Amino acid sequence: MFDRLQAVEDRYERLNELLSDPDIVSDSKKLREYSKEQSDLQATVDAYREYKDVKQQHADTREMLDEKLDADMREMVKEEFNDLGHQIEELEERLRVLLIPKDPNDNKNVIMEIRGAAGGDEAALFAGNLFRMYSRYAETQGWKIEVMDANATGMGGYKEIVFMINGQGAFSKFKYENGAHRVQRVPETESSGRIHTSTATVACLPEVEEVDVEIHEKDIRVDTFASSGAGGQSVNTTMSAVRMTHLPTGVVVSMQDERSQIKNREKAMKILRARVADKYMQEAQSEYDSVRKSAVGTGDRSERIRTYNYPQNRVTDHRIGLTIQKLDQIMEGKLDEIIDALTLEEQASKLERLNEDA
């Protein structure tokens, strides 16, 4: 582990040199690339340097214990020696976690897609509840929410809603939400009080920049059509709606949220880029996932990941067997307990794999 940590520190120092090189400073692409790499290494380097400093203090204190000291001084030095020993243990554990391979998408903005699945109007209402839950959580983090496309059903429900959350580390928090979410409750329209089960699916995609995935214009077919609406003045009779098809993968994105075709094209391209990148990533990981699944599932959109039971005020995450009797709070966006548990489980799984491969 310490050979790897020293290599990380050496690379950090080399990046300091590169970022002072006039040739690098004048190359915006390399400057951005090296700055990001250095930023990603910062926490590990800081912790490693703190570890080395505490380790040296521990050794110096050990030498003091070999000297002739009066009883009070010896007791004080011994206490400091033990405290430093505990700090070393804590720092070693922290360093092990920091050495876990980082998800390169963790710091990116996230595009989320929520769709009502089984359950008709009740499923659409639940999709609206999930959108509100995620929006509340994003607001507590100081992140900005932008609805990109929505097919509303009334009463706060959505057949489908696509939105972007802009914020540092947004994807790292929301990436575990991929999959089918199940709700058990009595619908408002149910006169007999019978509990219904409905589902909504959530897809969570990192925003992809042009430099991250190359999509050629010749590989995209663009169709324009008139936006549909509820009737009257809300119907846009101009050809502002856009449908983009990525021919190599068959990924299709339709966008009619804006009255401007240019704005619809921009939004559609963001979603298309994210979906194409996600499709390539899913294909690349499918062979690995069939052999060894992640602790929090494969991210398969059809995988049932969580149940929200309203009568018992209970939420259960099936991937890690976590049950919380705080459904009312969770639906208000208080997701930290679930997200933290999933993050810790993922870290433990990755540490286990690192130890197996060591």
Side-chain angles (χ1 to χ4, degrees):
M1 179 174 84
F2 295 105
D3 289 342
R4 291 174 62 197
L5 286 166
Q6 188 57 53
V8 168
E9 186 179 32
D10 292 344
R11 176 59 181 169
Y12 182 86
E13 290 299 333
R14 175 58 180 152
L15 287 167
N16 271 338
E17 296 172 8
L18 289 169
L19 289 170
S20 301
D21 187 325
D23 291 336
I24 300 299
V25 173
S26 61
D27 186 331
S28 60
K29 184 178 179 182
K30 283 188 177 179
L31 183 65
R32 183 172 61 248
E33 178 186 332
Y34 289 149
S35 296
K36 183 181 183 306
E37 185 183 355
Q38 187 189 56
S39 176
D40 291 343
L41 297 178
Q42 185 76 55
T44 304
V45 171
D46 288 347
Y48 181 47
R49 287 174 174 173
E50 182 182 355
Y51 172 83
K52 289 193 291 183
D53 182 52
V54 173
K55 190 82 171 174
Q56 184 59 54
Q57 291 180 52
H58 192 252
D60 293 343
T61 308
R62 179 70 184 86
E63 288 182 6
M64 288 180 66
L65 287 172
D66 291 335
E67 299 173 2
K68 290 184 178 180
L69 304 170
D70 61 46
D72 290 342
M73 177 62 75
R74 177 170 293 279
E75 187 59 33
M76 186 174 70
V77 172
K78 187 176 180 181
E79 184 177 339
E80 183 182 358
F81 179 79
N82 291 334
D83 287 344
L84 289 167
H86 291 311
Q87 285 185 49
I88 288 171
E89 291 176 4
E90 291 172 1
L91 282 165
E92 285 180 350
E93 184 58 34
R94 184 170 149 207
L95 286 166
R96 287 190 187 95
V97 172
L98 286 168
L99 281 176
I100 294 172
K102 303 290 188 299
D103 185 333
N105 295 317
D106 272 354
N107 287 329
K108 292 185 177 180
N109 299 328
V110 59
I111 294 173
M112 299 192 75
E113 304 176 358
I114 306 175
R115 295 177 177 84
D121 289 341
E122 176 65 9
L125 283 171
F126 181 49
N129 296 147
L130 291 176
F131 170 61
R132 181 175 179 273
M133 176 182 79
Y134 293 137
S135 298
R136 289 289 180 90
Y137 178 73
E139 287 166 4
T140 66
Q141 305 300 306
W143 297 335
K144 181 183 175 184
I145 301 156
E146 177 190 0
V147 175
M148 305 184 76
D149 196 24
N151 184 354
T153 62
M155 296 175 62
Y158 293 97
K159 288 184 179 178
E160 176 183 14
I161 182 165
V162 181
F163 57 102
M164 178 179 286
I165 297 175
N166 294 279
Q168 183 75 12
F171 184 75
S172 71
K173 299 294 186 181
F174 285 107
K175 64 183 177 180
Y176 303 115
E177 298 304 302
N178 275 326
H181 295 242
R182 181 175 69 172
V183 62
Q184 295 173 327
R185 63 185 177 187
V186 179
E188 293 181 13
T189 56
E190 177 59 59
S191 57
S192 66
R194 186 165 58 92
I195 295 174
H196 284 230
T197 297
S198 305
T199 57
T201 61
V202 176
C204 177
L205 313 174
E207 183 186 15
V208 178
E209 302 292 338
E210 288 185 46
V211 295
D212 296 329
V213 60
E214 191 173 13
I215 297 180
H216 301 287
E217 282 191 31
K218 65 181 178 62
D219 290 334
I220 302 175
R221 187 180 72 234
V222 180
D223 302 306
T224 58
F225 54 97
S227 296
S228 61
Q233 293 181 342
S234 65
V235 176
N236 185 351
T237 56
T238 62
M239 302 294 283
S240 62
V242 172
R243 181 185 299 108
M244 286 187 175
T245 305
H246 185 243
L247 300 175
T249 61
V251 171
V252 179
V253 175
S254 295
M255 182 62 58
Q256 60 178 17
D257 193 53
E258 301 285 349
R259 290 185 178 275
S260 161
Q261 186 183 119
I262 293 174
K263 289 184 178 179
N264 280 329
R265 278 175 176 264
E266 290 174 355
K267 285 187 173 183
M269 194 62 201
K270 279 188 177 183
I271 298 172
L272 184 74
R273 199 177 288 122
R275 287 184 183 173
V276 169
D278 181 65
K279 184 175 178 66
Y280 286 146
M281 185 189 71
Q282 294 287 338
E283 289 174 352
Q285 289 187 345
S286 61
E287 185 175 345
Y288 174 85
D289 289 337
S290 66
V291 176
R292 178 191 250 163
K293 291 187 177 182
S294 162
V296 293
T298 63
D300 190 323
R301 305 290 184 264
S302 64
E303 181 184 9
R304 190 188 73 194
I305 64 166
R306 197 174 297 149
T307 295
Y308 304 73
N309 186 297
Y310 275 71
Q312 298 179 23
N313 196 38
R314 183 184 73 223
V315 175
T316 299
D317 195 289
H318 304 291
R319 295 163 295 181
I320 57 175
L322 175 69
T323 295
I324 303 173
Q325 303 288 153
K326 301 175 185 176
L327 173 64
D328 52 343
Q329 296 179 36
I330 287 166
M331 297 311 293
E332 288 298 318
K334 296 180 179 178
L335 293 170
D336 285 322
E337 191 171 348
I338 292 178
I339 291 172
D340 290 348
L342 289 163
T343 301
L344 285 171
E345 192 72 29
E346 182 74 354
Q347 288 177 347
S349 175
K350 287 182 176 179
L351 270 175
E352 186 179 335
R353 291 204 292 270
L354 280 176
N355 292 334
E356 287 175 4
D357 296 338

